[in-house]
Amino acid sequence: MLKWMRLEFKKHKINTYVHASVIIAIVLFILVFLFAYIPTIDNDSEMQIFRDYHNLLMVCGVLSLVSFSILSSVMYCKFIIQEYGSNRIYMLFSYPVHRGKILFSKVLSVFLFIIVAVFMCNTTVFTVFAFTESFFSLMEDAFTVELILKTIQVSIVMAVIAATIGVIAMGLGYIKKSVPTTIVSAMLLSSLFSNIASINISNAASMNMFLIIFMGVTIAAGSITTIMLIKKVDRMEAQ
Amino acid sequence: MKEVAVQTHNLIKTFSGVDVIKNYNMTVLRGSIYGLLGANGAGKTTAFKILSGLLVPIGGKAEVLGKDIVSQRDEVLKNIGTIIETPIFYEHLPAKENLEIHLSYMGIENVDIASVLEAVDLQSTNRHPVSKYSLGMRQRLGIARALSHKPQLLILDEPTNGLDPMGIRKMRELFLKLVKEENMTILISSHILSEIQYIADMIGVMVNGTIIEEVPLETIKKQYPDGLEDYFFNIMDGGQSNA
Ligand SMILES: Nc1ncnc2c1ncn2[C@@H]1O[C@H](COP(=O)(O)OP(=O)(O)O)[C@@H](O)[C@H]1O
Ligand SMILES: [Mg+2]
């Protein structure tokens, strides 16, 4: 499987997606900084919740999840939708390798890329932010070890959800072999996530519950999508 | 009697109710060049897609290199090289990388890629991405890729499209050499007789999805020393007005 995955990254310009991830991280950092900064100049009580590290972490997590879900869907368009939906399929189907295996290597390549990207992005943005905090001090509470662990935990969960939303969006887009459908599906699914998340944001217990349930449901849906696609390509014709 | 490389029995393929391939019977002998001649739309590409596992026939049977193309698809794919319509590549990569990726999937190592490219007049030192290639260069790269893993059978769908007369001639020489020196079998399609009459051992004439005549070129050459063109033209035309 590793061999096929390496070939996928060779076939598709991986640098493009690394650059995109770095840009997302930079934008995210600016947003996090603004979220923390605005409450210090504006006394609007609604905004004050962002002077708390936990809440800021969640907002940061949700924003990165939305961005990376969309990046993930864009990658799936390149890796899968456009490959199987055009005459590029002649090339894929000329290899004496089980078709499902190649498809799975594509799904897994993007999936793992997104997980690593989200995790790195979230932890880096938050670490850098916490570091600048020691100069500017925008937050009310302190950056503790507990918070570090929380950051890692939330980043992992968000990473998995973002990557899985991409898989589901790809499955929906695949039905129509459509790039817009894929990307719009990722937008809708991730905004569904962020809407529910924002309701629960200030309640740690219900937020945890929501994250676990959402992750479970998306993983189930993502797995079914992948299995169905693997079966489909094996019987598929290259018209 | 020579061994058989491709044998089909009454293949049928339908697109939205229309029989594009019907009663398709062909026998290709190992170590020979078989030219499939047919007008545009006769069904040559569709037939080749079936033989290379891209399409599944709704009726009949096709054995390629002794294996059933539907149930033993991957076994067949290991030993054939194909060009179907215009070859597709990883556009942002140079020729060499394209062949490397191809060979990884074919499960073949230690291929001298430089000499494979040289055989079709391409340079492995050319670092330009394939997207910068001309139609002729792409076609030649497609041929290089199809034969890079040393297949037993080459299935080439109008492979000389976009080549200049010099290039066409070089490819002819290459095909003859492959048969002679590597004992490959070549199945090649064209809508122009002159493209295959100098190399083919056997010619199959395809009209409306059916091979209506399968003849050794030698036989016809003897019978019609100066009227080869007319002979085939009459068959193709006659078949069409009968259908
Ligand atoms: N995927 C497809 N769907 C519907 N019709 C098709 C498809 N592919 C080919 N055809 C039709 O089948 C016929 C044979 O096409 P083709 O095999 O490409 O012929 P050739 O290669 O001899 O020019 C044509 O009439 C073409 O329109
Ligand atoms: Mg054709």
Side-chain angles (χ1 to χ4, degrees):
Chain A
M1 192 44 64
L2 223 63
K3 179 188 172 187
W4 308 132
M5 285 169 63
R6 208 167 350 180
L7 283 172
E8 286 305 323
F9 284 124
K10 205 169 163 187
K11 277 151 54 176
H12 300 277
K13 281 185 251 174
I14 186 70
N15 280 351
T16 319
Y17 307 111
V18 175
H19 292 162
S21 305
V22 170
I23 291 168
I24 291 175
I26 293 170
V27 172
L28 200 63
F29 177 77
I30 295 169
L31 286 176
V32 167
F33 195 81
L34 286 178
F35 269 114
Y37 180 65
I38 290 169
T40 64
I41 52 169
D42 177 0
N43 284 327
D44 180 356
S45 60
E46 287 268 347
M47 289 301 278
Q48 296 303 317
I49 61 164
F50 296 123
R51 299 196 67 179
D52 170 291
Y53 262 116
H54 280 276
N55 293 340
L56 195 66
L57 172 64
M58 285 303 167
V59 170
C60 167
V62 168
L63 287 174
S64 98
L65 180 135
V66 172
S67 318
F68 280 102
S69 300
I70 293 166
L71 178 65
S72 162
S73 72
V74 170
M75 287 178 78
Y76 278 125
C77 285
K78 279 280 176 205
F79 279 61
I80 294 182
I81 305 290
Q82 290 182 341
E83 292 271 287
Y84 291 90
S86 71
N87 51 8
R88 306 188 62 78
I89 197 173
Y90 296 159
M91 192 159 44
L92 276 181
F93 282 5
S94 70
Y95 303 137
V97 181
H98 189 271
R99 289 178 182 177
K101 215 182 243 176
I102 295 185
L103 180 90
F104 188 61
S105 74
K106 287 170 174 288
V107 174
L108 207 57
S109 299
V110 176
F111 192 83
L112 293 181
F113 178 91
I114 292 295
I115 289 201
V116 172
V118 177
F119 186 77
M120 301 260 289
C121 171
N122 286 6
T123 49
T124 311
V125 165
F126 233 65
T127 310
V128 174
F129 178 76
F131 184 69
T132 57
E133 254 300 281
S134 51
F135 300 106
F136 297 104
S137 192
L138 301 168
M139 307 302 281
E140 276 176 341
D141 54 351
F143 199 73
T144 58
V145 174
E146 183 225 359
L147 205 63
I148 294 172
L149 292 176
K150 180 84 181 165
T151 306
I152 292 172
Q153 184 200 340
V154 169
S155 299
I156 291 174
V157 173
M158 298 283 192
V160 172
I161 295 177
T164 323
I165 284 179
V167 176
I168 300 168
M170 180 263 295
L172 294 171
Y174 190 91
I175 298 170
K176 286 188 163 181
K177 298 268 168 51
S178 150
V179 169
T181 307
T182 310
I183 297 173
V184 169
S185 300
M187 287 176 176
L188 290 177
L189 285 167
S190 59
S191 62
L192 174 74
F193 172 87
S194 58
N195 275 323
I196 307 178
S198 65
I199 298 168
N200 297 312
I201 203 152
S202 45
N203 183 334
S206 67
M207 186 68 182
N208 281 344
M209 185 70 134
F210 162 67
L211 284 178
I212 288 166
I213 291 173
F214 201 92
M215 186 164 74
V217 172
T218 49
I219 285 177
S223 308
I224 293 170
T225 306
T226 308
I227 293 167
M228 274 170 39
L229 277 185
I230 286 174
K231 286 194 171 155
K232 203 176 171 109
V233 292
D234 194 44
R235 293 188 307 255
M236 200 169 142
E237 296 199 303
Q239 300 257 332
Chain B
M1 186 70 190
K2 273 188 162 177
E3 251 187 287
V4 170
V6 179
Q7 178 84 66
T8 70
H9 183 70
N10 286 339
L11 282 181
I12 306 172
K13 182 67 192 176
T14 309
F15 287 127
S16 43
V18 181
D19 285 349
V20 171
I21 299 290
K22 53 182 182 270
N23 298 325
Y24 185 93
N25 294 296
M26 99 186 308
T27 308
V28 180
L29 298 179
R30 288 215 192 219
S32 73
I33 299 183
Y34 185 112
L36 183 63
L37 183 65
N40 284 326
K44 304 180 295 294
T45 300
T46 308
F48 281 10
K49 282 185 180 172
I50 295 174
L51 295 178
S52 47
L54 294 174
L55 292 175
V56 180
I58 61 159
K61 221 174 132 54
E63 278 195 354
V64 178
L65 301 168
K67 308 250 160 54
D68 184 77
I69 184 58
V70 178
S71 61
Q72 297 170 289
R73 185 179 61 209
D74 289 347
E75 284 298 303
V76 172
L77 290 180
K78 252 182 224 158
N79 297 307
I80 66 172
T82 54
I83 293 190
I84 303 288
E85 289 177 334
T86 36
I88 311 290
F89 302 101
Y90 301 107
E91 296 288 328
H92 64 290
L93 297 174
K96 184 165 167 276
E97 274 73 2
N98 266 281
L99 289 193
E100 279 169 5
I101 291 173
H102 172 78
L103 290 166
S104 305
Y105 278 112
M106 296 309 293
I108 309 243
E109 279 159 30
N110 304 323
V111 172
D112 182 3
I113 290 178
S115 73
V116 172
L117 287 172
E118 264 160 38
V120 295
D121 273 339
L122 292 174
Q123 265 75 49
S124 62
T125 47
N126 183 347
R127 300 306 297 159
H128 289 298
V130 174
S131 58
K132 297 271 189 304
Y133 276 28
S134 68
L135 187 60
M137 287 168 87
R138 301 172 80 87
Q139 207 70 25
R140 278 182 279 148
L141 181 57
I143 292 167
R145 184 175 61 190
L147 53 86
S148 63
H149 53 280
K150 293 216 189 305
Q152 297 168 33
L153 169 69
L154 281 176
I155 298 181
L156 308 173
D157 184 26
E158 315 226 12
T160 46
N161 266 355
L163 292 188
D164 52 38
M166 245 337 251
I168 293 181
R169 193 171 172 163
K170 283 211 149 169
M171 286 310 125
R172 267 187 217 144
E173 282 161 11
L174 175 65
F175 296 155
L176 287 169
K177 193 176 135 203
L178 289 171
V179 171
K180 212 167 157 191
E181 291 176 10
E182 318 267 346
N183 197 34
M184 279 189 195
T185 309
I186 301 181
L187 177 51
I188 187 169
S189 75
S190 181
H191 61 278
I192 305 164
L193 174 66
S194 62
E195 293 217 325
I196 47 179
Q197 70 173 345
Y198 302 109
I199 52 169
D201 302 298
M202 183 73 104
I203 292 199
V205 182
M206 189 169 186
V207 177
N208 290 336
T210 309
I211 293 185
I212 55 167
E213 183 118 3
E214 200 168 69
V215 283
L217 201 62
E218 276 305 306
T219 322
I220 329 252
K221 270 188 185 156
K222 272 182 208 144
Q223 281 176 0
Y224 302 85
D226 39 32
L228 219 53
E229 198 102 55
D230 288 342
Y231 171 78
F232 282 107
F233 195 75
N234 280 338
I235 304 180
M236 286 164 75
D237 201 40
Q240 235 146 15
S241 48
N242 286 345

